[in-house]
Amino acid sequence: QYEGGWSCDHCVRGEMPVDEGTRCESCPFGRYSSSGQGCEDCPAGHACKAGASHAQPCDPGSRASSAAKADVCSQCEAGTYQDAAAQTSCKPCTAGSFCRQGATDQTVCPRGTFSNTTNAPECTPCIAGEYQEDVTQTACESCPTGSYCAAGASAALKCDAGTYQHGQGQTACLECVAGSYCEAGASAALSCLEGTYSNITGLGSEG
């Protein structure tokens, strides 16, 4: 308080005094001021824009490095996630799951897909001849005999009546030849019974 009745003004929040207190200036990015008396470094896991009056915690799905005073939080890269706020790094996605950019949690691989590595940004569809009927898997299974599997299959499909498949990991079934029949899901063509015959292909039953 001066004799004339004047008093010194304080800098507002987000500012700091400069030039020996003759004027105020906004805090630069990466720093903040909650009092107006000076700027502080933005803590790890937070972001401070220029003129910030407080440090803003990074949202889940993002982070701010502890090595630099950040002005913005960076999204987690694809293949990583972060489920908590105010973090300095993101977590790797585990096998059997995937994480897209900015993920706040892992997403399990759906049926018909797999992931056998960490940090996967997407799950891989099963190749033709394989299937996967469960979620969160790291591999696909070979189609059994008597069935076939298209790419991305979540279940092995039985061969239709009149067809068969004797091999594993197949993408199609074979037509029953004349003189035999094949019931649904057959792994081999069955010869017509003694005293019967068939001169057509694709017969689905002996009767």
Side-chain angles (χ1 to χ4, degrees):
Q1 181 80 28
Y2 294 105
E3 288 186 12
W6 297 98
S7 61
C8 295
D9 291 328
H10 288 291
C11 294
V12 299
R13 296 173 65 194
E15 294 182 341
M16 60 180 175
V18 295
D19 294 341
E20 298 181 347
T22 59
R23 64 186 181 89
C24 297
E25 191 173 273
S26 294
C27 293
F29 72 83
R31 308 191 77 195
Y32 73 101
S33 174
S34 59
S35 64
Q37 297 180 7
C39 299
E40 302 177 55
D41 289 346
C42 209
H46 294 68
C48 300
K49 296 184 181 296
S53 61
H54 65 281
Q56 181 66 41
C58 293
D59 292 329
S62 66
R63 89 286 187 199
S65 171
S66 59
K69 300 183 288 291
D71 62 331
V72 294
C73 297
S74 301
Q75 281 192 322
C76 292
E77 296 178 354
T80 67
Y81 74 102
Q82 182 50 258
D83 53 0
Q87 300 300 304
T88 60
S89 62
C90 298
K91 304 174 185 177
C93 237
T94 57
S97 65
F98 72 98
C99 301
R100 293 186 176 137
Q101 185 178 25
T104 58
D105 203 353
Q106 302 184 86
T107 302
V108 300
C109 289
R111 299 172 64 204
T113 69
F114 73 100
S115 168
N116 58 6
T117 63
T118 58
N119 299 100
E122 297 286 348
C123 295
T124 304
C126 296
I127 62 172
E130 296 185 350
Y131 73 103
Q132 183 47 259
E133 59 187 2
D134 295 320
V135 298
T136 323
Q137 297 302 302
T138 58
C140 296
E141 300 179 27
S142 181
C143 256
T145 59
S147 67
Y148 68 99
C149 297
S154 59
L157 300 177
K158 284 185 177 182
C159 292
D160 293 331
T163 67
Y164 74 100
Q165 182 50 259
H166 56 79
Q168 294 183 336
Q170 300 302 306
T171 60
C173 297
L174 307 173
E175 189 174 44
C176 253
V177 297
S180 65
Y181 69 97
C182 302
E183 296 178 343
S187 58
L190 300 176
S191 298
C192 290
L193 297 177
E194 186 176 352
T196 66
Y197 75 98
S198 169
N199 57 6
I200 61 173
T201 59
L203 189 65
S205 66
E206 59 178 319

